[in-house]
Amino acid sequence: MFTYYLDLAMRSLRRNTMLTALMVLAIALGIGASMTTLTVLHVLSGDPLPGASGTLFYPRIDPRDMDAYEEGKDPPYQVTWIDGMNMLHAKRADRQALMTGGSVPVQPAQSSVDPFYSDARYTSSDFFPMFRVPFLYGRPWSVEEDDAKARVVVISRKLNEKLFGGKDSTGQTLRMKDTAFRVIGVLDEWRPNPHFYDIDTGRYAASEDVFVPLTTSRDIRLEHDGSTDCWGTGGGDEDHAETQPCVWLQFWVQLDSAAKVAAYKEYLVHYSQEQHDLGRFMRAPNVQLPGLMEWLDINKVVPGDVRLQTWLAFGFLLVCLVNTIGLMLAKFLRRAGELGVRRALGASKREVFMQLLIESGVIGLAGGLGGLLLAFAGLWLVRRQPSDYASLAHLDLAMLLTTFVLAIGSTLLAGLLPAWRACQITPALQLKSQ
């Protein structure tokens, strides 16, 4: 029965190719525009660590003096060295990681490769298991190597391919800033989006190529990249960053239950009060403990114009559907004589309705294919933009299925009114007029 209705639908569509092409074009333009913007929004607003983000939190405390004090003002986004180390060594969370970004001069052993700078992450040992970083070879460093300021390094797969031809390089020596480091691990492909753990270095930046213990980076004074906010006597002197009243480090914790979240927030209040009593903190305890996704919302990671463009694109799709409804209504009503004859020969309203709906579905399928091509073209243009998220814009399988479901579903919905209206034709009147 379906093939019979499909054959009738195809004959009808071929009968007026210009009108059919207009309907397909309208659907294709609406689907192409909406899926392009929806894909970009999907990429930018996705969960960077599915399955783990619900247990990751970003502690915030307020160590500043009373200058420019405003009651209720949010605490700084980062922590000082003293506070970061105190909370790291307190081990009140299931896991905790203190970190900052940097840039290191890499000195390859091969004479054929010139020295170059590489983005680096200086952090503590829990960074890798807490953020579920996959390893291709080797292992992360241990807490003992953190404490010993060990000259060890974990490198990305890309850097491993550049320097060691993609082979297992664990145990090899990598020189950075005239210091020999032992490679103990090589990461597999890993690029969480957004770059949640340090938004200052790029909201959608690629992950770093070099990972070094934070204590080691301070011991040999590796260059720090990122924001530094100071107060009082703090001048941002990197050589004395450990003692300066400046916030420049990011601190993340893993808390595996709601009870642990409440207990950790209480710990932050007690810690702030303790530092206030010692004279380090001038302000009353002011703490926050946002989760990962809440942290992204606080920082407005998804650009506002992307959300606006998505709403505008779906508004355009709605306009295209309204136009398609008008075209379908005109097309179906022009066939009143044909439909009246079918009804007089025994076809029920339901059968005529199904025929017209299948015709709408065929238009939707063709419009979906056209919209898919337009979406690919739109995303190709997005990838040519000078934005740090441009290279991420691509259609995955889920978005491909969404494209066809949206195209066919919206067209079937648009075809309900014209099909229903055409089914109300009285066969006797049509036969009389004929």
Side-chain angles (χ1 to χ4, degrees):
M1 185 63 71
F2 175 79
T3 55
Y4 171 67
Y5 290 145
L6 182 61
D7 182 59
L8 289 177
M10 295 303 296
R11 289 184 182 183
S12 173
L13 292 174
R14 285 195 294 266
R15 195 174 302 153
N16 194 331
T17 55
M18 184 61 69
L19 193 57
T20 300
L22 283 175
M23 290 187 286
V24 170
L25 180 61
I27 295 297
L29 288 174
I31 293 295
S34 57
M35 289 311 301
T36 299
T37 56
L38 184 61
T39 300
V40 174
L41 181 63
H42 171 72
V43 168
L44 301 190
S45 60
D47 186 342
L49 290 179
S53 59
T55 62
L56 298 179
F57 297 84
Y58 192 75
R60 299 175 67 185
I61 57 178
D62 198 342
R64 296 171 294 187
D65 58 23
M66 296 303 292
D67 286 350
Y69 172 72
E70 294 180 24
E71 187 174 354
K73 188 175 183 179
D74 288 339
Y77 281 15
Q78 303 180 105
V79 298
T80 66
W81 174 273
I82 294 174
D83 295 320
M85 282 297 173
N86 286 343
M87 293 188 291
L88 181 69
H89 293 142
K91 298 186 182 300
R92 295 298 186 96
D94 294 292
R95 290 191 176 105
Q96 44 272 308
L98 184 64
M99 68 193 77
T100 190
S103 182
V104 294
V106 178
Q107 300 158 294
Q110 308 94 315
S111 58
S112 58
V113 182
D114 294 330
F116 58 91
Y117 275 87
S118 185
D119 291 336
R121 175 70 24 188
Y122 315 137
T123 184
S124 51
S125 57
D126 275 353
F127 176 93
F128 302 98
M130 186 166 71
F131 293 153
R132 300 187 179 184
V133 184
F135 274 75
L136 185 64
Y137 305 117
R139 60 171 179 85
W141 58 82
S142 64
V143 175
E144 292 73 24
E145 288 168 318
D146 259 335
D147 296 337
K149 304 174 184 177
R151 273 39 173 180
V152 293
V153 62
V154 171
I155 61 176
S156 69
R157 183 171 186 164
K158 183 177 76 172
L159 186 59
N160 185 61
E161 290 174 352
K162 181 175 182 177
L163 297 180
F164 302 104
K167 300 177 182 178
D168 184 353
S169 58
T170 55
Q172 297 291 325
T173 298
L174 178 62
R175 293 191 65 82
M176 298 183 295
K177 200 180 179 181
D178 298 320
T179 303
F181 286 79
R182 178 168 55 92
V183 177
I184 61 169
V186 177
L187 302 186
D188 205 344
E189 295 295 341
W190 186 66
R191 183 178 179 176
N193 294 302
H195 191 262
F196 68 94
Y197 54 84
D198 188 357
I199 294 172
D200 284 335
T201 58
R203 297 183 176 189
Y204 297 94
S207 56
E208 297 81 0
D209 288 325
V210 173
F211 297 81
V212 173
L214 178 63
T215 51
T216 304
S217 74
R218 296 310 303 156
D219 191 43
I220 62 176
R221 295 295 185 262
L222 291 177
E223 182 180 341
H224 159 250
D225 283 345
S227 66
T228 301
D229 297 319
C230 303
W231 60 90
T233 58
D237 182 3
E238 287 212 8
D239 289 335
H240 302 90
E242 295 87 344
T243 58
Q244 294 274 314
C246 302
V247 290
W248 56 285
L249 295 158
Q250 302 85 46
F251 186 62
W252 285 89
V253 297
Q254 178 181 323
L255 303 166
D256 292 336
S257 69
K260 290 180 178 179
V261 174
Y264 199 87
K265 193 165 187 178
E266 186 178 350
Y267 158 69
L268 293 177
V269 174
H270 290 163
Y271 175 80
S272 298
Q273 186 61 55
E274 179 187 53
Q275 296 300 311
H276 183 273
D277 295 341
L278 292 172
R280 279 195 64 239
F281 289 10
M282 298 291 104
R283 306 183 182 191
N286 178 19
V287 306
Q288 294 181 5
L289 190 61
L292 190 158
M293 299 307 291
E294 183 184 355
W295 179 241
L296 298 180
D297 289 338
I298 289 172
N299 285 275
K300 296 179 173 58
V301 170
V302 180
D305 61 333
V306 173
R307 295 187 186 276
L308 177 61
Q309 289 167 8
T310 303
W311 282 111
L312 290 175
F314 274 92
F316 178 63
L317 174 60
L318 181 61
V319 171
C320 292
L321 288 176
V322 170
N323 280 283
T324 303
I325 290 173
L327 291 172
M328 283 185 182
L329 192 58
K331 179 179 174 62
F332 292 167
L333 292 181
R334 282 180 61 185
R335 294 163 54 196
E338 172 197 333
L339 298 177
V341 170
R342 282 206 64 213
R343 289 289 313 284
L345 292 175
S348 65
K349 282 187 178 182
R350 180 178 176 275
E351 290 174 332
V352 173
F353 186 76
M354 286 298 298
Q355 173 195 339
L356 298 179
L357 267 191
I358 290 175
E359 192 170 326
S360 301
V362 172
I363 293 171
L365 180 61
L369 289 171
L372 191 61
L373 293 175
L374 291 175
F376 275 121
L379 293 173
W380 181 83
L381 292 175
V382 170
R383 288 194 292 271
R384 297 297 180 274
Q385 301 303 309
S387 302
D388 53 3
Y389 63 80
S391 62
L392 305 173
H394 63 277
L395 279 171
D396 56 19
L397 179 60
M399 297 307 291
L400 286 174
L401 292 175
T402 302
T403 300
F404 284 107
V405 170
L406 182 62
I408 298 174
S410 59
T411 312
L412 287 175
L413 190 63
L416 286 176
L417 175 62
W420 176 83
R421 182 68 183 82
C423 287
Q424 306 311 306
I425 296 170
T426 305
L429 291 178
Q430 293 301 319
L431 289 174
K432 184 178 180 180
S433 66
Q434 292 296 319

